Every structure is written in C-alpha cells, then in structure tokens.
Amino acid sequence: PDQFQIVSYSQKVAYAALISQMTGYYDDLSNHTPVTDDHLRVGSILAFRDSSSWHRAKIVRVVNLHPLAVALKLVDQGCFKACTSPGDLQPLADRFAQLP
C-alpha cells in the first residue's frame, strides 16, 4: 500500500492498444532476439510475457543469472512480477519505447 502508480484514465485505450501491439509483435518468433547477460541488469527495460500478453518491464533486482531469477516492475501497470524463464523476456523493440 505504500507504492502507488497513477495512469490517466484518458490513456487507458492507448495502453491497451500498446499491450495488444506488443503481444502481436512478440508472439511472432521471427521477432525474437537472444537475451544476453548484458540485458539482465538492474534498471534495464525489457519486454516480459505475463501469461498470454507482453508488457514493458524494468528489472528491479537480479537474484541470479544462471538459472535466471529476476524481479520486475511492469512499468505501465505498476505491479511487480518474478521471472525465472528466459523465454518470457525479450529486448524491448524501439517501437515500444515511447509512452502512448
């Protein structure tokens, strides 16, 4: 309860469209790029697959690289997630780096 993130309600449609575009892009395996240890640093922004959709995520803690264990903050939602599967991370394509 001590951490809040506020997103303008008027931008709700734009953020939903961003998630949809990212999911379409990253679900196409031909768009995948190998994630290296250089990508896995605190502060790095990556694409993260959570269930069936892709989101922008910031690494807030690296617990281990091999096997992978990182803590992420989904930057558009404000929630925190853990990732242990390298297949759930991708470098963030430039086209998704801008705010909607």
Side-chain angles (χ1 to χ4, degrees):
D2 60 338
Q3 296 182 8
F4 292 92
Q5 180 158 330
I6 299 172
V7 176
S8 170
Y9 183 77
S10 66
Q11 294 297 316
K12 182 178 179 180
V13 172
Y15 282 106
L18 174 67
I19 291 171
S20 177
Q21 292 166 4
M22 286 183 65
T23 300
Y25 179 83
Y26 289 109
D27 279 351
D28 181 348
L29 297 181
S30 69
N31 291 323
H32 281 213
T33 303
V35 175
T36 66
D37 289 354
D38 287 338
H39 293 112
L40 302 174
R41 297 180 182 190
V42 171
S44 294
I45 305 291
L46 300 166
F48 168 66
R49 179 176 41 213
D50 185 27
S51 299
S52 61
S53 58
W54 287 83
H55 305 269
R56 298 186 298 183
K58 179 179 181 179
I59 296 178
V60 294
R61 183 168 180 221
V62 176
V63 178
N64 201 17
L65 290 176
H66 305 285
L68 180 67
V70 294
L72 305 167
K73 179 181 182 183
L74 302 189
V75 297
D76 299 314
Q77 289 82 15
C79 59
F80 292 88
K81 298 284 183 169
C83 180
T84 57
S85 174
D88 288 339
L89 293 173
Q90 279 292 293
L92 188 68
D94 290 342
R95 65 192 284 186
F96 302 120
Q98 300 297 320
L99 291 174

